[in-house]
Amino acid sequence: MGKKTQHCLLLFLCLSGLVHYSAALVFWTSMVEITYVNSSNATVDKYCECGVYGRNSPLEQASGIATLPRGDPKGCGSDPVYNPNSSHLTWIALVKRGNCTFSEKINAAYRQGAAAVVVYNVDGSGNSTSHMAHSDATEIPAIMIGNSQGMEVVNLVKNGTVVELTITVGSPHGPWMDTYWLYFLSIAFFIVTAASISYFVFISASRLYSLNMHRRTERKLKSEATKAIRRLQVRKLKTGDEETKSDSDMCAVCLESYKAGELVTVLTCEHIFHKACIEPWLLERRTCPMCKCDILKALGVEEETKESLSAESPLEVTVITVTGGEPMYEVPLTDPASPDPERLQHRYDNRAFEGDSAAGRR
């Protein structure tokens, strides 16, 4: 399995876990309808999406007469807590938040026959609500509304007004509304971002290292190509030489015919080119333009270069004799500027190349 496939699989598993966890934190709002007859004998009907179903509440519709707990408005304590009006078949407990758990409030109302429970928030909280948890009370619908809406109904009921409450399921909302989920998303974002940055830094560093190694190898090979060029035979063409007799004999680099007095270089494959044309070519490509013969491999320099790069050590003073009949060239592999005393004992047979190098240095 490739790295990209593994990364995609890991990302899919993470996203699957996040989606599953997100679904568990989705909450539902509640539509709340308040209906009563005012002092002018007119029916007042108010409707708003101002409630929130509890985490463990069944998503069901409920309606009934608003009923307050006796004594303590928070609905805590032993039964009986409520005294519902027997003339009404269904009633909904309207209880204030605080003192005991949500589960205790809901169960107390459920045991006395409430159809649902509406919890209004504490004083000073305005119309804010929270996603209440009540894992021990899951039998009847339970919602929370703001303190302002709750106190409005409480005051009506205390004044003897019969208030009918109807709660219906509203719309779902995502986990981004949950504070803890927001913290989790922030931490996850920073972790993923840090991991991504680290990964790209690692990839960039690896590529930069590879690029530097490639450039180093190229410089080394170019240096070795320079040494290999010094071993090649250089001739000065004369009148009557085979190369000057026919216009069909021409340099494959510049496509010009050979003329008497020109310097030509003979490669190991016996192909001939203008010295000024072939040397820049060999420095960049290190192969014959016609037959692609590798001059480094032909002269045995390529193997020595690989050994020196792997061992990370300087080349030793070595004399190579190009065979194939009588020895033609004997040169050291060390840098010409090296102060090694053994280096001074050898000299180049390729005088023409030495002359060009010296002129370039000047």
Side-chain angles (χ1 to χ4, degrees):
M1 184 182 295
K3 289 185 177 180
K4 289 185 178 179
T5 305
Q6 293 176 353
H7 292 163
C8 292
L9 180 59
L10 180 61
L11 180 61
F12 173 76
L13 293 176
C14 292
L15 291 177
S16 298
L18 292 178
V19 170
H20 177 75
Y21 186 62
S22 300
L25 291 179
V26 170
F27 67 89
W28 291 77
T29 59
S30 171
M31 311 300 295
V32 180
E33 184 177 5
I34 303 173
T35 306
Y36 62 94
V37 178
N38 62 15
S39 57
S40 301
N41 204 28
T43 300
V44 179
D45 192 6
K46 296 183 178 181
Y47 190 77
C48 65
E49 189 178 3
C50 50
V52 177
Y53 276 91
R55 292 177 186 266
N56 309 102
S57 171
L59 298 176
E60 299 175 357
Q61 178 179 340
S63 62
I65 301 303
T67 303
L68 305 179
R70 293 183 300 178
D72 182 11
K74 298 176 181 177
C76 300
S78 57
D79 295 335
V81 178
Y82 298 87
N83 188 18
N85 191 331
S86 59
S87 63
H88 299 285
L89 295 178
T90 59
W91 57 280
I92 293 178
L94 181 62
V95 59
K96 188 175 184 179
R97 180 179 184 177
N99 280 5
C100 57
T101 65
F102 294 117
S103 295
E104 292 173 342
K105 297 176 187 293
I106 296 170
N107 284 330
Y110 173 68
R111 283 192 294 268
Q112 288 193 250
V117 175
V118 176
V119 180
Y120 59 95
N121 215 344
V122 296
D123 296 336
S125 60
N127 288 325
S128 65
T129 59
S130 66
H131 196 193
M132 58 184 182
H134 46 93
S135 57
D136 296 329
T138 60
E139 290 81 4
I140 58 175
I143 69 169
M144 177 179 283
I145 61 175
N147 179 264
S148 300
Q149 293 100 340
M151 289 305 300
E152 179 183 355
V153 178
V154 168
N155 291 332
L156 288 172
V157 174
K158 285 184 177 181
N159 291 333
T161 303
V162 177
V163 181
E164 183 178 0
L165 296 177
T166 301
I167 61 174
T168 55
V169 180
S171 55
H173 291 262
W176 50 86
M177 301 298 293
D178 189 281
T179 304
Y180 297 103
W181 177 242
L182 183 61
Y183 291 155
F184 174 79
L185 281 181
S186 300
I187 295 173
F189 172 77
F190 286 118
I191 291 176
V192 171
T193 301
S196 300
I197 293 175
S198 301
Y199 175 76
F200 284 115
V201 168
F202 172 76
I203 293 298
S204 299
S206 299
R207 290 182 177 178
L208 183 60
Y209 176 77
S210 300
L211 182 60
N212 289 336
M213 290 299 295
H214 176 73
R215 289 175 177 173
R216 182 181 175 186
T217 302
E218 285 297 315
R219 287 195 299 267
K220 189 69 177 177
L221 289 174
K222 189 170 291 188
S223 174
E224 296 303 324
T226 301
K227 297 176 184 179
I229 292 172
R230 293 172 183 155
R231 306 177 198 178
L232 298 174
Q233 180 186 8
V234 176
R235 291 195 296 117
K236 186 175 183 179
L237 296 178
K238 300 176 182 180
T239 304
D241 286 347
E242 188 68 28
E243 293 81 6
T244 63
K245 292 181 179 179
S246 173
D247 291 338
S248 61
D249 290 332
M250 62 179 63
C251 175
V253 179
C254 66
L255 302 180
E256 294 288 340
S257 302
Y258 298 111
K259 298 179 178 60
E262 293 180 334
L263 292 176
V264 295
T265 299
V266 183
L267 302 189
T268 56
C269 55
E270 302 299 332
H271 289 127
I272 298 175
F273 306 91
H274 287 128
K275 180 178 183 296
C277 297
I278 195 60
E279 286 181 356
W281 175 284
L282 294 177
L283 285 176
E284 293 296 329
R285 297 169 176 80
R286 297 178 288 277
T287 59
C288 173
M290 297 180 67
C291 67
K292 305 301 180 182
C293 174
D294 191 332
I295 65 166
L296 295 184
K297 184 179 293 185
L299 295 175
V301 176
E302 186 177 39
E303 288 75 12
E304 297 169 10
T305 304
K306 291 180 180 179
E307 291 176 2
S308 65
L309 289 175
S310 61
E312 294 293 332
S313 60
L315 293 171
E316 297 180 356
V317 177
T318 307
V319 176
I320 291 183
T321 300
V322 180
T323 59
E326 295 183 357
M328 295 176 61
Y329 317 108
E330 293 187 353
V331 293
L333 291 181
T334 54
D335 187 358
S338 172
D340 191 337
E342 293 185 16
R343 166 74 183 86
L344 302 177
Q345 298 177 7
H346 304 280
R347 60 184 179 83
Y348 290 113
D349 287 335
N350 194 338
R351 302 279 185 182
F353 189 87
E354 284 184 320
D356 291 347
S357 300
R361 288 194 295 270
R362 289 196 297 270

